[in-house]
Amino acid sequence: MSTSAYAPPGWPNQVRPPGAPGWEATAIAYLLDCCPADFRAYRVLWNHPVVLAQFAMQFVNGQQEASQRGLAVVRTSLSDYVDPDIVEAAAQAWLEQGARLARTRRAVALLEEALRGRVFVRKL
């Protein structure tokens, strides 16, 4: 693999490495999957991947914030209504969601950098 087709750690598996043939099309598909379905209706997002990356980043950031708020209140808001093991399972779900969103945020950030022209170089 050439230097121009190197994908750094955190790069999404579904997206071809930057510089590989058709990589931007796979990046667009991934970024659209990170957004609400109705974002697909906006031609500007399809035609300008950097704009799409910014929209995706804002949406993922919002999801991360909501996940953190959900985790912060899950124990106090549910403890009077469900058994403690259910509260802990709900807290665990928020933790797992938060970890997934952190990985997605990293992936979106890398895609945005590549779409803006950054070339990633393998470190030895």
Side-chain angles (χ1 to χ4, degrees):
M1 186 180 286
S2 72
T3 301
S4 65
Y6 169 70
W11 190 265
N13 291 334
Q14 308 91 312
V15 179
R16 293 181 186 139
W23 86 269
E24 282 191 13
T26 61
I28 290 168
Y30 179 86
L31 291 168
L32 284 168
D33 285 346
C34 293
C35 296
D38 56 339
F39 278 27
R40 293 175 185 273
Y42 298 102
R43 279 283 133 208
V44 68
L45 301 181
W46 287 87
N47 295 332
H48 301 281
V50 173
V51 175
L52 173 58
Q54 187 178 64
F55 272 58
M57 182 60 76
Q58 292 302 317
F59 188 73
V60 171
N61 284 341
Q63 288 181 307
Q64 269 192 305
E65 290 171 16
S67 179
Q68 291 165 354
R69 284 192 308 272
L71 179 59
V73 302
V74 70
R75 287 180 178 87
T76 56
S77 67
L78 294 177
S79 62
D80 291 341
Y81 302 98
V82 296
D83 293 334
D85 59 322
I86 302 301
V87 171
E88 288 309 310
Q92 184 61 39
W94 278 122
L95 287 168
E96 290 173 13
Q97 182 69 359
R100 184 192 67 78
L101 288 166
R103 290 188 302 273
T104 301
R105 187 183 188 294
R106 164 97 172 128
V108 170
L110 289 170
L111 290 173
E112 184 172 16
E113 288 180 44
L115 289 165
R116 290 177 183 263
R118 178 172 178 194
V119 176
F120 299 100
V121 179
R122 185 182 315 270
K123 295 180 181 171
L124 300 175

